[in-house]
Amino acid sequence: MANERLVNSVSVGVVFVAGPGDYAISNDEKIHVLAEVQDGLDQMAANEADANISWSYNSLSVNLPTFTPWDGANWPGLPETFYRGFDAALWSETNSRIYFFKGSQYVRVNPNNSWKADPGYPKPIAGNWNGFPASFQNGVDAAIWNHNSDKIYFFKGDEYIRVDPNNSWNVDSGYPKQIAGNWPGMPADFATGIDAGFWATKNNRVYIFKGDQYVRINPNAGWSVEAGYPKPIDGNWDGLNDSFKEGIDAALMSKKNNKVYFFKKSRIVGNYVRIDPNNGWDVENGYPKPIGVGWSVEEQWRDPALQRLGYDTGKDGVIALSDHLKGLTNSQFGFVAFFTKLPSVWMGYANSSWQKIVMYRSADSGPSSFETWTSIDRIMAHETGHIFHAADEYSSSNCKCDSKQGHFIETVNGNCANCDDPTGSCLMKNNTLGTVCDFSRLAFGWGAFLTKIDASFYSFKNDKFYLFSNEYYIRYSRDFKMDEGYPKLISAGWRGMTDDFAQGIDAILWSGKNDKVYVFKGSEYLRIDPNNNWQLDAGYPKSIAANWNVPANFGSDLDAALWNDKSDKVYLFKGSQYIRINPNNNWNMDPGYPKPIAGNWPGMPADFANGIDAATWSEKNDRVYIFKGTQYVRVNPNNSWNVDSGYPNWINKNWKMAFPTVV
């Protein structure tokens, strides 16, 4: 069963996948992880006691003693963070090396050694690039090699410096200088800072990029910007996808193969394209590619781990493992969380359709201890939120306020930090364990059908059951299978409901006398016509007390309503009493009512006799279904209205709904 909503029993399989040397996971680390996981999920469940969540844990360990990290990376040997992209890229003709800069660090790559990073990197800019101003030591925005002079230009903000590789890589005197005034024709916004640039030996031009535009400079004409620039990237660089058209983060031209490379950062997987100036400056086939390995880096350790545990590789193996552990604990839902130091693209992520979470522990210098990771509890709870269909809410996730989330209850991502009026701290926004904000609560399925059914009826118009809870309703077919697309908001599915009634109702019934539906809330009721497109009849809402010949206490806040197809009678329930109304006698109450439920509905459990929540007739089997809390009974009108044997039973069990209750 898919993870439908976050209720009831959930199996959590914690799988430790270790590798050789620094990639090993100690017993102390495992103990720490399990304690953090349990603490985080317990605090998550505490946000909704009515969901009746219980966690069942299984821990498994797999060792891969011959694993090779980042095998197959497109740019081998880079630090993990560089595989998400970098700030600047540079070709140096002096030593035929490529340099990548990110923050205060840099890496040197040797194209003559399979494009691998040289040993001993990353290194800090400070102390390794002579004469760099302090601001440049903290990071650079762009770097360009000058083919004519073999000088290198570094840019930071509105300034630039010039470095001489043939003079111990020292910064030339007189620098830094302002871009403005020193690069003739440079547009004003480019003079405040640039994103990337490179020298093209194909045409001896310099290309500089800023946002979604670029300029072309002629070094042989006083380094002036050529006429007609800036131009948009889109439409002038064939083959780029949309993300590259929006801007380029780093660029270089390699004299090793005379190809141009554009690099694009990402929060998780950085990408690059390769362009052939000798083939119309087109992006070559097969690009963009990940700078590293991309998402497939996970399968390099995940699939061997699954095989060692006796499962197939890929999605089928993960789900089979999750289902097996779920069966061992007799849980209703389940997922698997992999903990590893072996490479992955991000420290924590989830895939709800795969029923898996990956938690990855590493640092720039290599694998890191799980024992020093003190936020496992918060991250685990956040990723479990994804397993149960809640979306990210923090700004950098690029969340959108109108994007849909949820499975049992579908809702928009109204907690998104990019909304006009965002909510405060939330689990899915900033990993706040103590608060699950409103829209995520709906995504978890906590918005309705938690503690009881508010109202129910059977419609002879379309042969359907309807169950109501809060502002939502579910429609069932005769076989008690929930129709696709439900639950729905009452306001979205019932044209005849007024705004007040759309927020939740007390009781509802079908009347065979006039083929109308009566809806009760507070002291008022509505009459809806299924034969008129379920529209509200004119003149409604009306007062119950003024229009129904009922005792005073039945004039408001009814608990349930029921129409009996066999006798054409209507039953209204309030507390421990009920009344019977005859539509064929001017809708008058039959003599002798109200009566107590106890003693008049044989076999009714004591707690049901003290008051019920909802009731409905079933044309499928001539039975009456009565709901109370998370349970229901089935009554046989053809057997003196006796409760059938085997009841009460759980709503969750037989109405094919993930209702919070014991399974």
Side-chain angles (χ1 to χ4, degrees):
M1 178 189 292
N3 290 311
E4 189 171 89
R5 63 192 301 212
L6 185 50
V7 298
N8 297 332
S9 55
V10 182
S11 165
V12 183
V14 178
V15 182
F16 296 100
V17 183
D22 293 339
Y23 298 96
I25 304 175
S26 70
N27 286 332
D28 287 343
E29 289 179 282
K30 294 176 184 178
I31 291 170
H32 173 75
V33 166
L34 292 171
E36 286 270 309
V37 167
Q38 292 179 47
D39 180 61
L41 295 186
D42 284 347
Q43 291 192 58
M44 182 185 192
N47 283 278
E48 182 51 82
D50 289 335
N52 195 38
I53 302 167
S54 61
W55 310 100
S56 298
Y57 298 95
N58 284 284
S59 175
L60 302 170
S61 295
V62 180
N63 186 39
L64 304 176
T66 60
F67 187 86
T68 301
W70 294 107
D71 187 31
N74 288 308
W75 292 81
L78 298 185
E80 175 205 338
T81 56
F82 280 62
Y83 286 135
R84 300 188 190 111
F86 22 81
D87 305 326
L90 169 70
W91 167 267
S92 169
E93 182 69 8
T94 303
N95 56 4
S96 297
R97 293 292 193 272
I98 288 172
Y99 294 82
F100 294 134
F101 297 83
K102 182 161 190 174
S104 62
Q105 294 185 309
Y106 74 102
V107 174
R108 193 177 70 187
V109 171
N110 187 351
N112 297 308
N113 185 26
S114 303
W115 302 81
K116 292 181 180 178
D118 283 340
Y121 291 85
K123 291 182 178 180
I125 297 173
N128 289 291
W129 292 81
N130 299 327
F132 266 46
S135 61
F136 283 69
Q137 293 175 18
N138 292 326
V140 297
D141 298 332
I144 301 173
W145 165 66
N146 180 345
H147 173 68
N148 290 343
S149 65
D150 204 21
K151 299 288 182 82
I152 297 170
Y153 296 85
F154 289 96
F155 297 81
K156 178 66 178 282
D158 60 359
E159 294 183 311
Y160 72 102
I161 57 177
R162 193 176 69 191
V163 172
D164 187 350
N166 298 304
N167 183 24
S168 302
W169 298 81
N170 279 295
V171 175
D172 284 345
S173 61
Y175 291 87
K177 292 182 179 181
Q178 295 288 315
I179 299 173
N182 289 290
W183 293 75
M186 190 73 78
D189 57 335
F190 279 65
T192 63
I194 67 171
D195 299 332
F198 70 95
W199 182 294
T201 56
K202 169 70 175 176
N203 55 7
N204 282 323
R205 295 295 188 268
V206 171
Y207 294 81
I208 293 180
F209 298 82
K210 172 72 178 279
D212 60 358
Q213 295 186 310
Y214 74 103
V215 295
R216 193 173 72 184
I217 294 171
N218 187 348
N220 298 313
W223 291 83
S224 59
V225 174
E226 293 184 338
Y229 291 87
K231 291 182 178 180
I233 298 172
D234 189 8
N236 289 291
W237 293 82
D238 294 338
L240 293 179
N241 67 16
D242 288 343
S243 65
F244 281 82
K245 291 174 183 177
E246 293 170 357
I248 293 163
D249 297 315
L252 63 87
M253 183 167 187
S254 167
K255 287 292 295 294
K256 168 69 175 177
N257 55 10
N258 291 316
K259 300 295 177 74
V260 173
Y261 295 81
F262 288 168
F263 299 88
K264 185 74 176 180
K265 296 178 189 174
S266 169
R267 190 170 62 90
I268 297 178
V269 178
N271 291 291
Y272 75 104
V273 296
R274 194 172 72 185
I275 294 170
D276 189 350
N278 296 307
N279 186 28
W281 296 83
D282 286 346
V283 173
E284 294 184 345
N285 292 334
Y287 291 87
K289 291 182 179 180
I291 300 169
V293 179
W295 287 101
S296 62
V297 71
E298 176 198 311
E299 69 187 44
Q300 293 181 353
W301 54 260
R302 183 202 66 225
D303 286 352
L306 286 170
Q307 290 176 317
R308 284 177 178 253
L309 292 171
Y311 295 91
D312 290 338
T313 61
K315 181 178 180 179
D316 290 345
V318 174
I319 293 176
L321 172 58
S322 175
D323 288 347
H324 174 71
L325 298 177
K326 183 172 62 177
L328 290 178
T329 57
N330 194 31
S331 298
Q332 188 170 8
F333 303 117
F335 63 93
V336 173
F338 293 95
F339 283 81
T340 189
K341 298 176 186 178
L342 299 171
S344 191
V345 296
W346 194 243
M347 65 176 178
Y349 55 91
N351 187 317
S352 61
S353 67
W354 281 56
Q355 301 174 24
K356 75 172 173 73
I357 291 172
V358 173
M359 300 283 277
Y360 168 46
R361 186 59 171 160
S362 185
D364 289 349
S365 58
S368 181
S369 173
F370 280 109
E371 287 187 278
T372 61
W373 197 1
T374 58
S375 57
I376 293 174
D377 53 353
R378 300 189 297 276
I379 298 173
M380 183 68 180
H382 177 104
E383 299 306 328
T384 300
H386 291 314
I387 291 291
F388 289 93
H389 312 291
D392 283 321
E393 298 166 3
Y394 51 91
S395 181
S396 63
S397 70
N398 296 319
C399 59
K400 292 179 172 54
C401 307
D402 58 355
S403 63
K404 294 299 179 71
Q405 60 177 339
H407 180 80
F408 180 72
I409 295 175
E410 187 179 73
T411 183
V412 296
N413 190 10
N415 299 331
C416 172
N418 298 319
C419 296
D420 292 336
D421 184 22
T423 53
S425 296
C426 300
L427 176 63
M428 303 308 294
K429 182 178 293 182
N430 49 18
N431 294 350
T432 302
L433 278 171
T435 306
V436 176
C437 286
D438 291 342
F439 289 91
S440 290
R441 293 179 63 85
L442 292 174
F444 291 159
W446 292 352
F449 298 97
L450 279 176
T451 58
K452 67 185 183 73
I453 305 296
D454 293 337
S456 60
F457 82 103
Y458 174 79
S459 166
F460 284 79
K461 172 69 177 176
N462 55 6
D463 198 22
K464 302 285 187 180
F465 292 99
Y466 292 81
L467 271 59
F468 296 79
S469 175
N470 295 338
E471 55 190 313
Y472 290 87
Y473 75 102
I474 294 174
R475 193 178 73 187
Y476 282 86
S477 299
R478 263 184 174 230
D479 59 358
F480 303 100
K481 181 180 179 182
M482 188 188 308
D483 285 351
E484 188 176 350
Y486 290 85
K488 288 183 178 179
L489 285 166
I490 297 172
S491 60
W494 284 77
R495 302 176 186 85
M497 293 285 191
T498 63
D499 290 343
D500 182 39
F501 280 67
Q503 299 305 307
I505 64 175
D506 296 333
I508 188 169
L509 65 86
W510 171 281
S511 167
K513 170 69 177 174
N514 53 11
D515 286 348
K516 303 279 188 172
V517 172
Y518 292 82
V519 188
F520 303 87
K521 181 169 185 176
S523 61
E524 295 183 312
Y525 73 103
L526 308 175
R527 193 177 71 188
I528 293 173
D529 188 351
N531 296 307
N532 185 26
N533 204 23
W534 298 83
Q535 297 286 347
L536 179 67
D537 283 348
Y540 290 86
K542 291 183 178 181
S543 165
I544 299 172
N547 292 279
W548 291 70
N549 181 19
V550 297
N553 64 322
F554 279 76
S556 64
D557 302 322
L558 295 174
D559 293 334
L562 171 69
W563 178 64
N564 176 7
D565 181 46
K566 297 304 179 187
S567 64
D568 200 19
K569 296 292 180 77
V570 167
Y571 296 80
L572 301 179
F573 296 81
K574 177 71 178 285
S576 61
Q577 295 183 310
Y578 73 104
I579 59 176
R580 191 176 71 191
I581 293 173
N582 189 350
N584 296 307
N585 184 24
N586 294 320
W587 295 82
N588 281 306
M589 183 173 67
D590 283 345
Y593 290 88
K595 291 182 178 181
I597 298 172
N600 289 290
W601 294 73
M604 192 72 74
D607 56 338
F608 281 66
N610 290 327
I612 65 172
D613 297 328
T616 182
W617 176 270
S618 169
E619 184 68 7
K620 175 180 173 65
N621 53 8
D622 286 348
R623 295 291 192 272
V624 171
Y625 291 83
I626 296 178
F627 301 91
K628 175 66 179 277
T630 58
Q631 295 183 303
Y632 75 103
V633 296
R634 193 177 70 187
V635 174
N636 188 350
N638 300 310
N639 183 25
S640 303
W641 293 83
N642 273 282
V643 173
D644 284 343
S645 61
Y647 291 88
N649 214 326
W650 303 106
I651 298 171
N652 186 44
K653 184 175 181 181
N654 292 311
W655 283 78
K656 299 181 177 65
M657 184 200 319
F659 204 94
T661 183
V662 176
V663 180

